[in-house]
Amino acid sequence: MIIYEETHPLTWRLKKKKKPIFLKKYLKYNGYNGAKKAITKFSPNEIIEIIKKSGLRGRGGAGFPTGIKWSLIKKKKSYLICNADEMEPGTYKDRFLLENLPHQLIEGIIIASYALQSKCAYIFLRGEYIIAEKNINYAINELLDKKMLGKNIFNSNFSLNIYLHTGAGRYICGEETALINSLEGKRANPRFKPPFPSSSGLWGEPTCVNNVETLSNIPSIIKNGFHWYKNISLSIDSGTKMMGFSGKVNNPGVWELPLGITARELLEDYAHGICNGYSIKAWLPGGAGTNFLLDKHLDLPMDFNSIQKAGSRLGTGLAVIIDNKINMVNLLLNIENFFSRESCGWCTPCRDGLPWIVKILKCLKKKQGKINDINTLKNICNMLQPGKTFCAHAPGALAPLKSAIKYFKNEFEKGIIYK
Ligand code: SF4
């Protein structure tokens, strides 16, 4: 695969070597030109308008338009937080960017902080990402040594400090208000909304939380313009996306591809198809918290709207193949066990509902299920719908379960004792 800046704005600097790019090489490959241009040529509001016009949608899973998110922040005193707490099972795209292209992320943070007029930005990093921690710290120190970070960046009036914070390892810290609580040293429970972080976030000040991949897109948009960014996509959703396939495929991995490429192209051309002796039973388009899709959905474009219309979510864009040898009850037990363990315990439906699901799935796995178990699972799914729990953790956890019962009910029925 030949990659160019014009077609692969996130990964072109890596070419084939895939070694981390630090400052000397980053500068050689046009590094910090986007940040220089942003700070010296545009006002903060002009940057926000460019990002709005680019159509960039958040790459953390929710897909909220980034420019609109930025425009909600009151610029008196604000904070930018980079959400690098990537912990969704099956997802490793931010890790790739964090480990290999730390300066690209930092450049995105500088531009975003300038647009929001934040003087302080945090990177909240998943604690287990040891290499990412090392490389980001190294990159920040390189910039501090060259006086490219801190006071008066690029001889402007704009000053910024960036701090790296490593989390202690809770999935819920990826939820933006729980992340803010954690950063303040409190227990990582999600907060009541309103107030939203845009008006009262970190230390009670307006706060914007953006994902790693989202921020990594910013430098090239500023450098090359919003028209260019819209045009490199194959769909109405702009830009490229880190996408991948894992499971029983010949070449599992992550690649930067234009939004709108079909899942089948991604599977065949990049993941090199399913391993010999296996066939596809289902696939998760974007992490463990998305609904299963089937073989017939593989020709769908990988973009936010198309995947949503088919009944799932693009999520993180890291797809997982479920092969014909996997038992859905066993798989669901594994997934729901994870989500149950990672519930923050704040609200009763999630705290009690998810372990109840795990208990039923355990019985179904042992072929000791009761006649009403499938109905009970469906009822719990209804009880934990969006809006019925304090945050989106429980509804997300149940997405794979609901779709598995819809498509593979017979496998659940096999675990029931009919007397
Ligand atoms: S839904 Fe779950 S994770 Fe979210 S607040 Fe309630 S208990 Fe915590």
Side-chain angles (χ1 to χ4, degrees):
M1 180 175 49
I2 302 170
I3 60 174
Y4 300 102
E5 182 176 9
E6 293 77 17
T7 54
H8 295 75
L10 288 170
T11 54
W12 69 279
R13 290 182 179 93
L14 290 169
K15 304 282 182 187
K16 278 185 180 164
K17 289 188 192 123
K18 294 203 180 133
K19 279 191 188 153
I21 303 280
F22 290 112
L23 191 58
K24 195 171 162 205
K25 201 155 184 198
Y26 191 66
L27 290 173
K28 192 175 149 201
Y29 288 139
N30 303 335
Y32 290 100
N33 283 356
K36 256 182 234 164
K37 188 175 172 185
I39 294 174
T40 55
K41 290 219 166 102
F42 295 114
S43 71
N45 283 340
E46 282 171 330
I47 300 287
I48 294 177
E49 280 311 303
I50 293 169
I51 299 302
K52 265 192 199 167
K53 285 181 187 158
S54 76
L56 173 66
R57 295 177 66 168
R59 303 296 200 233
F64 192 81
T66 306
I68 293 179
K69 199 172 196 182
W70 288 7
S71 67
L72 300 173
I73 301 286
K74 301 234 167 15
K75 296 190 199 62
K76 230 169 78 199
K77 181 179 181 189
S78 65
Y79 292 101
L80 174 76
I81 303 176
C82 169
N83 185 347
D85 195 52
E86 180 177 64
M87 224 177 138
E88 181 86 1
T91 299
Y92 41 87
K93 69 179 178 71
D94 289 344
R95 178 181 190 170
F96 182 86
L97 296 172
L98 287 158
E99 289 181 357
N100 294 301
L101 291 151
H103 278 292
Q104 182 170 255
L105 171 64
I106 293 168
E107 186 177 0
I109 291 174
I110 292 174
I111 300 170
S113 301
Y114 172 71
L116 304 172
Q117 289 293 283
S118 306
K119 292 188 173 45
C120 176
Y122 290 91
I123 301 170
F124 189 106
L125 179 70
R126 176 177 175 182
E128 293 94 328
Y129 279 4
I130 309 289
I131 297 170
E133 181 188 0
K134 190 171 130 245
N135 292 358
I136 291 166
N137 267 329
Y138 188 81
I140 289 175
N141 285 327
E142 279 188 307
L143 287 179
L144 290 171
D145 284 350
K146 296 258 180 223
K147 305 214 179 316
M148 290 172 71
L149 192 61
K151 281 201 171 153
N152 305 111
I153 299 178
F154 307 124
N155 296 322
S156 70
N157 289 329
F158 178 62
S159 302
L160 175 71
N161 290 313
I162 300 178
Y163 299 101
L164 178 64
H165 174 94
T166 49
R170 292 298 289 166
Y171 178 73
I172 197 61
C173 289
E175 198 277 343
E176 61 177 7
T177 56
L179 183 156
I180 290 168
N181 268 342
S182 176
L183 206 47
E184 287 182 359
K186 297 175 184 151
R187 182 173 163 170
N189 294 327
R191 290 181 177 178
F192 280 105
K193 289 191 248 181
F196 290 91
S198 55
S199 56
S200 177
L202 188 65
W203 322 118
E205 304 293 348
T207 301
C208 182
V209 183
N210 285 138
N211 166 262
V212 170
E213 189 185 346
T214 313
L215 289 164
S216 298
N217 270 287
I218 303 295
S220 59
I221 297 175
I222 298 300
K223 201 156 79 59
N224 301 310
F226 63 86
H227 283 300
W228 160 82
Y229 191 71
K230 282 177 106 69
N231 288 337
I232 55 173
S233 157
L234 300 171
S235 95
I236 56 161
D237 293 321
S238 310
T240 59
K241 171 98 193 65
M242 300 303 290
M243 295 188 220
F245 255 108
S246 58
K248 282 279 184 288
V249 292
N250 289 308
N251 184 33
V254 57
W255 303 273
E256 181 187 8
L257 296 166
L259 276 160
I261 188 172
T262 68
R264 196 178 297 281
E265 284 171 291
L266 176 58
L267 175 62
E268 297 298 334
D269 299 346
Y270 295 90
H272 299 171
I274 315 266
C275 298
N276 262 347
Y278 293 87
S279 61
I280 176 168
K281 181 171 182 171
W283 58 290
L284 287 165
T290 55
N291 305 62
F292 288 105
L293 294 175
L294 303 176
D295 197 10
K296 65 180 180 185
H297 298 118
L298 279 173
D299 293 312
L300 284 175
M302 291 288 280
D303 63 43
F304 293 96
N305 294 342
S306 307
I307 299 288
Q308 193 172 3
K309 271 191 202 151
S312 189
R313 287 188 309 116
L314 181 66
T316 61
L318 274 279
V320 184
I321 279 287
I322 314 302
D323 64 76
N324 55 320
K325 297 187 184 173
I326 290 177
N327 177 290
M328 292 309 269
V329 173
N330 296 354
L331 174 67
L332 261 300
L333 175 58
N334 196 11
I335 292 174
E336 299 306 336
N337 218 357
F338 169 81
F339 284 120
S340 167
R341 200 180 60 224
E342 294 297 333
S343 162
C344 83
W346 188 252
C347 60
T348 312
C350 174
R351 184 182 62 234
D352 289 353
L354 295 181
W356 190 1
I357 282 170
V358 169
K359 207 169 151 192
I360 294 174
L361 290 171
K362 271 185 188 162
C363 290
L364 292 174
K365 183 183 173 182
K366 286 192 235 157
K367 312 258 180 251
Q368 292 169 0
K370 297 192 195 71
I371 204 142
N372 272 334
D373 275 355
I374 296 175
N375 278 341
T376 310
L377 287 176
K378 284 185 186 167
N379 285 339
I380 304 174
C381 288
N382 287 335
M383 281 190 268
L384 302 190
Q385 273 177 7
K388 295 191 174 173
T389 57
F390 194 66
C391 83
H393 175 84
L398 295 183
L401 177 63
K402 273 196 281 190
S403 50
I405 295 175
K406 178 175 155 196
Y407 292 127
F408 305 100
K409 195 174 170 193
N410 60 330
E411 294 191 29
F412 290 80
E413 286 168 341
K414 280 182 192 158
I416 294 173
I417 307 168
Y418 294 94
K419 287 193 216 164

